[in-house]
Amino acid sequence: MVLTASQAKAIQGNWTKIAANAQDMGNELFIRYLNQNSGDQDVFLKFDDVPLDQLKGNAAFNAQTKLVIDALGRIVGSLDNIQSAASSLRERVRTHQPRGIHIAQFERLLDLMPMFVQEKADASGAIADAWRILIADLMPAMRDEYARLSR
């Protein structure tokens, strides 16, 4: 499936709820991610030794989660041009791959988005489904970039 223009608009409209509380939303998303993928915290050297229940008080964690939400916001903002959104993700790959962050970490984080927007931003099931389509549309670009960099 390919994300439709109306699905893109729905994601963008719902994103305003996340953007309005970007830091808190970023923290919640990342805590959820690390709770489900605890071994991945080791990749984040600036807060790899901080207990999960203390992460929200850690400046490096807050900077990382805000960066993630801002990057997702740029992707959401460019959904009228899916190639632009894919380019943003390719750039994330180029900056993250040298630090040992692999496609699996991106996939695990993005897989959380449909349920996250429903629970935290009151998204409808249709918006959650649109996120699933968006992720499916964008993952090939990320995988291709990882493969290119790994050669």
Side-chain angles (χ1 to χ4, degrees):
M1 277 189 105
V2 175
L3 190 72
T4 66
S6 63
Q7 289 171 319
K9 293 280 185 227
I11 288 172
Q12 290 169 329
N14 182 254
W15 189 260
T16 61
K17 293 179 181 181
I18 292 174
N21 298 299
Q23 187 66 68
D24 290 340
M25 292 291 197
N27 287 353
E28 291 295 326
L29 177 62
F30 233 76
I31 293 289
R32 182 177 297 205
Y33 167 75
L34 292 174
N35 271 322
Q36 293 182 19
N37 305 282
S38 58
D40 286 358
Q41 188 170 348
D42 294 345
V43 175
F44 300 95
L45 301 178
K46 292 181 180 177
F47 54 87
D48 64 334
D49 59 346
V50 179
L52 273 175
D53 64 346
Q54 295 175 24
L55 281 173
K56 289 182 182 179
N58 181 277
F61 175 78
N62 285 307
Q64 178 66 33
T65 62
K66 181 71 165 69
L67 189 72
V68 168
I69 287 295
D70 289 348
L72 287 169
R74 283 189 297 281
I75 291 163
V76 167
S78 66
L79 291 181
D80 56 327
N81 180 346
I82 200 74
Q83 292 310 313
S84 176
S87 291
S88 290
L89 280 173
R90 281 189 194 94
E91 179 59 27
R92 298 280 64 82
V93 169
R94 286 190 290 276
T95 61
H96 285 64
Q97 191 261 0
R99 296 183 311 198
I101 298 172
H102 300 286
I103 192 73
Q105 278 101 7
F106 277 101
E107 288 175 339
R108 288 192 288 264
L109 181 69
L110 290 172
D111 283 348
L112 297 175
M113 290 306 298
M115 186 66 71
F116 183 78
V117 296
Q118 282 189 293
E119 291 176 2
K120 298 295 181 180
D122 302 319
S124 66
I127 293 171
D129 289 343
W131 269 98
R132 288 179 185 91
I133 293 166
L134 173 62
I135 293 163
D137 286 351
L138 293 176
M139 286 311 298
M142 292 182 74
R143 288 186 189 109
D144 289 348
E145 191 66 18
Y146 264 104
R148 188 186 72 73
L149 293 171
S150 298
R151 290 184 198 132

